[in-house]
């Protein structure tokens, strides 16, 4: 290393060696405190939240069907449907967020947590039906007149 005095080199090496010792002596991996979300994958709260997502996805899809949400010309009833659909959509996202955060918190610090990995994979599979609804919703929203909805541009 040009420009570094031998003494500075040894100090730099000692610092690197110290870091290796610290890293090698750490045996406990970090983890998130996820208790505010759910106490465990087997908890009643987690099971209930899991079921709520299924129910929420079913209800959201039914609401879109009821209001014929798709790429079509707007009709007067869309103005009233807009608020109900947006409220339902926001509610569904509020249901999904804690489960997603909890599962991600578990697997991001322990990739070997097979039960959490399994639930995360299952949640991703369930979210496919949600993802399939979004193009319909987006197309419908794009055709609505913001002024008629009393919504900001």
């Amino acid at each position: 290393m040009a420009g570094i005095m031998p003494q500075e080199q040894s100090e730099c090496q000692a610092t690197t060696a110290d870091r290796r010792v610290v890293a090698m002596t750490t045996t406990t991996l970090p983890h998130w405190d996820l208790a505010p979300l759910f106490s465990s994958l087997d908890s009643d709260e987690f099971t209930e939240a899991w079921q709520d997502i299924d129910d929420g996805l079913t209800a959201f899809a039914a609401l879109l069907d009821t209001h014929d949400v798709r790429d079509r010309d707007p009709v007067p009833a869309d103005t009233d449907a807009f608020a109900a659909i947006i409220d339902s959509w926001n509610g569904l996202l509020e249901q999904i967020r804690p489960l997603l955060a909890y599962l991600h918190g578990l697997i991001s610090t322990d990739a070997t947590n097979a039960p959490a990995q399994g639930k995360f994979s299952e949640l991703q599979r369930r979210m496919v039906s949600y993802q399939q609804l979004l193009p319909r919703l987006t197309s419908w929203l794009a055709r609505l007149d913001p002024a008629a909805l009393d919504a900001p541009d």
Side-chain angles (χ1 to χ4, degrees):
M1 297 178 157
I4 296 180
M5 303 293 285
Q7 182 180 14
E8 292 173 343
Q9 283 180 345
S10 64
E11 286 175 12
C12 191
Q13 290 170 351
T15 303
T16 302
D18 290 342
R19 280 191 220 130
R20 276 192 223 118
V21 170
V22 170
M24 290 189 307
T25 59
T26 303
T27 56
T28 304
L29 295 174
H31 67 279
W32 297 105
D33 178 10
L34 301 172
L37 293 171
F38 302 103
S39 58
S40 74
L41 289 172
D42 300 322
S43 71
D44 291 339
E45 296 84 9
F46 184 87
T47 302
E48 183 179 329
W50 192 262
Q51 184 59 48
D52 287 347
I53 285 182
D54 283 342
D55 297 343
L57 286 168
T58 301
F60 186 61
L63 185 64
L64 296 185
D65 290 341
T66 298
H67 293 290
D68 193 27
V69 171
R70 60 183 171 83
D71 188 12
R72 62 165 173 76
D73 290 329
V75 296
D78 289 344
T79 303
D80 294 330
F82 175 79
I85 289 168
I86 296 302
D87 286 345
S88 178
W89 190 13
N90 285 334
L92 179 60
L93 294 175
E94 288 296 318
Q95 290 175 323
I96 293 167
R97 190 173 293 122
L99 277 173
L100 190 57
Y102 181 71
L103 292 171
H104 188 266
L106 289 175
I107 63 175
S108 68
T109 57
D110 182 6
T112 63
N113 186 334
Q117 288 282 8
K119 283 291 189 184
F120 186 71
S121 293
E122 192 175 339
L123 181 59
Q124 288 179 314
R125 184 186 58 76
R126 290 173 185 216
M127 293 305 297
V128 168
S129 63
Y130 167 75
Q131 294 294 332
Q132 291 171 334
L133 296 172
L134 292 182
R136 286 176 55 190
L137 180 59
T138 302
S139 295
W140 181 75
L141 288 170
R143 289 178 163 264
L144 298 178
D145 178 13
L149 300 172
D150 232 5
D153 290 341

